[in-house]
Amino acid sequence: MEVKEKLVKSTDLKSEILKQLYLEKSLSCAEMSTLFNKSIPIITKTINELIEEGFVIEVGYAPSSGGRRPLMYAVKPDAMYIMAIAMDQLSTRITIVDLNNKPVTEIETVEMVLNNNSVALAELISYIDSYIIKSGIKKDNILGIGIGMPGFVSVKDGINYSYLDANGEKLTDYLAKATGLPTYIDNDSSIIALAEQRFGIAKSLTEVMVINLGWGIGLGMIVKGDIFRGYSGFAGEFSHIPVFEDGVLCICGKQGCLEAEASMLVVVKKAIEGIKQGRLSTLHSFIDDPLKLMGDAIFDAANNGDQFVIELLSDAGYKIGKALSILIHIMNPQTIVLSGRGAKAGKIMMAPMQQALNKYCIPRLAANTELLISDLGFDGEIIGAAALVMENFDNEQLAINTKRLNMVKL
Amino acid sequence: MEVKEKLVKSTDLKSEILKQLYLEKSLSCAEMSTLFNKSIPIITKTINELIEEGFVIEVGYAPSSGGRRPLMYAVKPDAMYIMAIAMDQLSTRITIVDLNNKPVTEIETVEMVLNNNSVALAELISYIDSYIIKSGIKKDNILGIGIGMPGFVSVKDGINYSYLDANGEKLTDYLAKATGLPTYIDNDSSIIALAEQRFGIAKSLTEVMVINLGWGIGLGMIVKGDIFRGYSGFAGEFSHIPVFEDGVLCICGKQGCLEAEASMLVVVKKAIEGIKQGRLSTLHSFIDDPLKLMGDAIFDAANNGDQFVIELLSDAGYKIGKALSILIHIMNPQTIVLSGRGAKAGKIMMAPMQQALNKYCIPRLAANTELLISDLGFDGEIIGAAALVMENFDNEQLAINTKRLNMVKL
DNA sequence: TAAACTTACTAAAATATTTTAATAAGTTTT
DNA sequence: AAAACTTATTAAAATATTTTAGTAAGTTTA
């Protein structure tokens, strides 16, 4: 533990400790004292209150580092639960996790198209309600709902400008009213980046760019250790920067977008065309169900040495690499993480990507940036959605839940 | 005043107040109380100490907002001085400013080429020494030296990897030893961005991209209200991103860089070529002294309606605009500021730039970004260099200077 | 294996900070 | 023009936080 010192208001200490314990497996009083720049007595007092209130438990002694062994504290996993929802264009996953991010009931996947679907919002609410009932967990025990979704999401305004219109009302307010639970939304890629920085391969790093390889190519940015959203909340529109001169026409209406040249959707389309034109591939059996192709089949094919698929992924990788070189020039990140549903494809894409970085980056920058593949993979968005709720956990939330836990005791 | 609340350690309150007073013209106790989240008594006590020690003065009453008029406090301008140095490839400007950023002695410009100049560092030191002597200001009264310089500057390492090599030693340490004053360095564009955000047209904005129009095209980034430098300190390498397919060969060795297509150097080169080929321009009298062309002549010509120059600048503006659209997609800034020596040219470039933004940006992003021209202009780098010293002002610095001021009194 | 050194935890004393209440000095309303 | 309302400043009381010192429990060194 050599986490950088945090500055917190004394009144926020309690919720901040709980947040920190959610992020770390366990901490000693001394560690928290240095972390929060508070004296040991005040930490001890606060921790004891948290134990008294049922949020924190002792988890034994850590190995000695040359003196008395420190007593470690951790969050009580079942003190509160979080509902985590991960949406994409075609399907939505719902689960409820405990404070160790462990699903307490199985992740449920429902097919729901977002585009031009005026009943999507109503459906989502009904899915949420029935899932909570099925789970057997009392609503009072759920801290809130975190949702990752594609589109132009403004966290500040609580609105997704692309999907799930709530008749002009704040989507977060609308969902909170409908479900009776505090609701937080964010862009899927941002949420995946949050998961990678809090619990994944980029844990505790401060400058991280996370590429969300889904049907499209998303970017989640971690700047100075936190999600970066830009001024109006639309930062990271990576896939629509003009990289290729006179390229394919993109759905966004412009030419030369990365997404129109190198997304998984494009790879699949090219695969279908190629197979139809007689190219040999193990994927020919999927040709009638192209959208399901993505479901690991394409990566499995690549991993099994399917030449055609490898060729297609390599080409996409090189193009993404060229765009990444632009990103690196501007952001100079420590790490780039390939994550999201298609993270597996990252393995095949990595070599051509690195090749493009070497070609298009100033050497000093290429040398200072490492390219990694997520180990969270498809779970990233779920974990990120849960983490989003805890990001917003504050004293107010704590007070509500303290009351609740005390009520239960009586 | 509705500045966002700052979290400061109690032990840092004194230096933080002084820093804040350097940035604002004046503040009342109540304002500082809300700003720093401290009680009025503690602010009063601290301010009185600062007055006692000679750093702060009362500057009268502010207009009432419906009650007793607040007593305003400001920094004592001559309590300390700052040496500010602005370097570019060809010349270096030196001055000493007071705590109102007013030069106390005239800004001195010396010709000094940075590239392949092994004696540049020694020259710089001698310029500094002689300027201090000439100024008549005691070294003890100078808080430190702030230097803006082109090149790959790593603030963390205190090294400029492009110029001013100090035999592997930290440049900041070397200069501090040689001059006897704490020295801080940063990239010229970053420092200009700092000036714009602290004292210029982007004052107090949190997400700002500042384009430094000099011989090259620099970028200084303000993210979350502070200079953004990236992980290894090289963020903002805007002018070498691959924007143009198969473009001109750049000095960086790559093709299609913005700098190779649209920098002022390129504009000047094209102007010379054009005039030689018979194009009419009021610049023909400068043809024998191309490097001096830049010295306002090119902007004057444009402002006077010189068609050829306007054409060249418009073309450069459009190209910069295309690159800016990439930057906007990634960063989603609130404001883009055209600054630096060539800020004047911004007026002519603005229309084609906006045109490129409209073409290459997703409409929602283009609409959310305003394009402004600096009013600091050529002074930006000097002001930023001074601000850089105050950025690093802390309790330690304060203690040293308190001692000094008390010594003087005895 | 005992002595010396580290580190962790607890309680009391010292210090720092905020809250409260009283007063001063304005503006706006009646 | 007086009364009612705001806002600023000051001093005293109440509260919060840190420092200090003492004890407990381990590791390392001689």
Side-chain angles (χ1 to χ4, degrees), chain A residues 31-306:
Chain A
E31 284 170 330
M32 290 186 251
S33 172
T34 30
L35 176 63
F36 293 114
N37 238 281
K38 300 278 160 188
S39 66
I40 301 254
I42 208 82
I43 297 283
T44 310
K45 201 194 81 188
T46 311
I47 282 283
N48 284 334
E49 283 174 23
L50 283 168
I51 291 175
E52 182 70 25
E53 290 158 3
F55 293 107
V56 168
I57 49 172
E58 296 181 355
V59 287
Y61 295 90
S64 165
S65 58
R68 180 170 166 174
R69 292 180 313 189
L71 187 51
M72 304 303 282
Y73 301 92
V75 86
K76 190 159 174 282
D78 57 350
M80 303 176 287
Y81 296 94
I82 303 168
M83 171 158 253
I85 301 179
M87 310 181 86
D88 72 19
Q89 300 281 359
L90 303 176
S91 63
T92 291
R93 285 171 293 152
I94 304 184
T95 191
I96 293 175
V97 300
D98 66 16
L99 294 182
N100 286 339
N101 281 342
K102 293 260 179 305
V104 286
T105 40
E106 219 173 306
I107 297 176
E108 191 174 296
T109 306
V110 292
E111 306 297 319
M112 183 168 74
V113 176
L114 285 182
N115 206 18
N116 284 319
N117 181 354
S118 58
V119 297
L121 187 51
E123 279 185 52
L124 177 63
I125 291 167
S126 104
Y127 288 139
I128 291 173
D129 279 339
S130 64
Y131 191 88
I132 293 176
I133 292 169
K134 268 189 286 179
S135 77
I137 289 174
K138 268 184 279 177
K139 224 175 215 183
D140 272 355
N141 291 16
I142 299 174
L143 200 55
I145 305 175
I147 313 180
M149 42 178 73
F152 268 111
V153 179
S154 166
V155 173
K156 201 173 52 186
D157 300 341
I159 290 178
N160 185 334
Y161 288 99
S162 309
Y163 312 111
L164 297 169
D165 180 45
N167 293 316
E169 198 184 346
K170 270 192 173 192
L171 179 54
T172 44
D173 287 352
Y174 186 88
L175 283 168
K177 249 186 275 172
T179 62
L181 290 169
T183 306
Y184 309 95
I185 63 171
D186 208 332
N187 177 270
D188 51 356
S189 300
S190 292
I191 251 180
I192 290 172
L194 183 67
E196 295 293 349
Q197 200 274 344
R198 298 290 195 261
F199 298 102
I201 199 164
K203 183 159 172 59
S204 299
L205 301 184
T206 55
E207 315 297 333
V208 186
M209 299 292 113
V210 178
I211 302 299
N212 173 20
L213 295 169
W215 288 112
I217 301 166
L219 170 64
M221 307 168 86
I222 299 290
V223 172
K224 299 182 188 183
D226 280 306
I227 295 182
F228 177 70
R229 301 190 174 93
Y231 176 65
S232 18
F234 309 134
E237 260 310 318
F238 180 60
S239 58
H240 295 289
I241 56 177
V243 226
F244 305 100
E245 216 119 2
D246 305 322
V248 181
L249 187 70
C250 180
I251 41 158
C252 81
K254 298 185 296 156
Q255 276 183 305
C257 298
L258 176 64
E259 186 141 316
E261 300 274 352
S263 74
M264 279 303 138
L265 211 61
V266 172
V267 170
V268 170
K269 270 186 197 160
K270 282 186 181 170
I272 295 167
E273 275 172 38
I275 293 169
K276 279 185 181 163
Q277 283 167 17
R279 287 266 340 215
L280 291 176
S281 168
T282 53
L283 289 178
H284 63 270
S285 55
F286 292 93
I287 194 116
D288 293 327
D289 195 0
L291 284 182
K292 284 274 161 77
L293 257 179
M294 178 72 171
D296 294 340
I298 206 159
F299 314 124
D300 290 345
N303 284 326
N304 291 333
D306 186 310

Side-chain angles (χ1 to χ4, degrees), chain A residues 5 7-9 37 152 161 206-207 219 221 223-224 226-238 240-245 252 254 322 325-334 359-362 364-365 368, chain B residues 5 7-9 37 152 161 206-207 219 221 223-224 226-238 240-245 252 254 322 325-334 359-362 364-365 368:
Chain A
E5 164 184 320
L7 243 54
V8 280
K9 274 196 265 182
N37 238 281
F152 268 111
Y161 288 99
T206 55
E207 315 297 333
L219 170 64
M221 307 168 86
V223 172
K224 299 182 188 183
D226 280 306
I227 295 182
F228 177 70
R229 301 190 174 93
Y231 176 65
S232 18
F234 309 134
E237 260 310 318
F238 180 60
H240 295 289
I241 56 177
V243 226
F244 305 100
E245 216 119 2
C252 81
K254 298 185 296 156
K322 184 179 178 187
S325 78
I326 293 179
L327 188 64
I328 291 174
H329 275 94
I330 293 174
M331 301 302 297
N332 179 210
Q334 177 175 14
K359 172 161 182 196
Y360 293 110
C361 270
I362 292 177
R364 187 182 302 280
L365 284 171
N368 275 299
Chain B
E5 163 183 322
L7 243 54
V8 282
K9 274 197 266 183
N37 237 279
F152 269 111
Y161 288 98
T206 55
E207 315 298 334
L219 169 64
M221 306 168 86
V223 171
K224 299 181 187 182
D226 280 306
I227 296 182
F228 177 70
R229 300 188 175 94
Y231 176 64
S232 19
F234 308 134
E237 260 310 318
F238 180 60
H240 296 289
I241 57 178
V243 226
F244 305 100
E245 216 121 2
C252 79
K254 298 185 296 154
K322 184 180 178 186
S325 78
I326 294 179
L327 189 63
I328 291 174
H329 275 95
I330 293 174
M331 302 301 297
N332 179 211
Q334 177 174 17
K359 173 162 182 194
Y360 293 109
C361 271
I362 291 177
R364 189 183 300 280
L365 284 171
N368 274 300

Side-chain angles (χ1 to χ4, degrees), chain B residues 376-389:
Chain B
L376 259 38
F378 199 30
D379 289 337
E381 198 177 343
I382 287 281
I383 293 173
L388 183 66
V389 176

